Amino acid sequence: MSQNILYVDACINRNSSRTDRLAHMYLSRCGFDGSKITHRVLEDYPIRMLNGSLLKFRNLMIEKKDYSDRLFDLAKEFSKADEIIVAAPYWDLSFPAMLKCYLEQLSVNGITFRIGGNGEFEGLCKAKRLIYITSSGGYIGDCNYGFYYIRALCRMFGIEETICYKAEGLDIDGVDVNAVLQKVAEQF
Ligand SMILES: Cc1cc2nc3c(=O)[nH]c(=O)nc-3n(C[C@H](O)[C@H](O)[C@H](O)COP(=O)(O)O)c2cc1C
């Protein structure tokens, strides 16, 4: 079945990212043939950080339910995807700040979620599943804070399932990076 797949690429080491390699292994193994895959490279996208004036403008537009400004494009794209893959290296127990800026842009009342009369969140995203792919120099253990945060946001967006695949220990001397990536890919 033709699907609309969104690959959110928050990998910073362009051309040499192991996280991006793992994400591509996922995309090629998961039978998305015939599907439209949008590769959203965050480093190439002019994400505007939410400062005081931008927040004021955004709140005004949300109040008017006018989502025509390109500030809302990423949220619309995310909300319409059938499946979402997010790839981000493990940085300082989480992920690069660029991804946080992206997630702030997504969290738009009226596009990715809605707040009901009793203050409850109602998810508005089409995707049933988000796959989070990361790689780390050492071992993540129970400090997978970037994933935990995205998983919580997904609940707010109405995305029921979040799965994390992680390739760990890649910066340890003597590690066979290809073997580690292959081993993780066996779980797909
Ligand atoms: C700014 C920065 C912060 C990092 N923080 C951690 C960390 O907290 N724990 C860890 O195990 N590795 C850490 N690493 C190592 C990366 O997670 C590791 O090299 C990863 O595989 C990079 O992914 P990439 O090849 O896709 O760029 C850090 C690397 C950088 C550049």
Side-chain angles (χ1 to χ4, degrees), residues 6-159:
L6 175 63
Y7 170 30
V8 179
D9 179 349
C11 301
I12 309 287
N13 286 320
R14 307 307 311 158
N15 304 319
S16 62
S17 162
R18 287 87 57 98
T19 319
D20 180 50
R21 254 163 70 197
L22 191 58
H24 276 94
M25 287 159 89
Y26 178 82
L27 288 168
S28 62
R29 282 209 186 179
C30 286
F32 292 133
D33 305 344
S35 296
K36 178 183 166 232
I37 300 179
T38 301
H39 186 179
R40 180 62 57 219
V41 180
L42 297 192
E43 201 156 77
D44 293 346
Y45 195 92
I47 297 180
R48 291 145 78 192
M49 209 163 78
L50 277 182
N51 59 15
S53 57
L54 191 57
L55 186 63
K56 204 168 158 192
F57 169 74
R58 189 173 99 137
N59 286 343
L60 203 71
M61 301 305 273
I62 291 174
E63 211 175 298
K64 289 196 285 184
K65 297 192 178 4
D66 178 352
Y67 305 107
S68 58
D69 192 89
R70 62 186 304 257
L71 179 62
F72 300 109
D73 286 356
L74 289 173
K76 287 184 214 161
E77 177 179 77
F78 188 90
S79 70
K80 287 179 192 151
D82 292 305
E83 178 163 334
I84 300 156
I85 296 100
V86 175
Y90 186 69
W91 273 21
D92 305 320
L93 310 183
S94 173
F95 47 60
M98 195 168 63
L99 182 55
K100 175 72 170 86
C101 288
Y102 172 76
L103 295 168
E104 274 180 10
Q105 299 257 320
L106 296 186
S107 302
V108 178
N109 185 2
I111 301 182
T112 43
F113 69 94
R114 184 166 39 218
I115 301 176
N118 296 321
E120 76 285 4
F121 286 102
E122 185 195 337
L124 297 178
C125 290
K126 190 175 176 200
K128 293 276 162 284
R129 190 164 79 150
L130 182 143
I131 305 294
Y132 184 75
I133 291 177
T134 192
S135 80
S136 58
Y139 291 95
I140 296 174
D142 58 2
C143 297
N144 204 355
Y145 299 115
F147 172 63
Y148 303 152
Y149 169 60
I150 286 197
R151 187 174 58 190
L153 269 184
C154 280
R155 284 188 204 121
M156 177 171 133
F157 295 156
I159 300 171

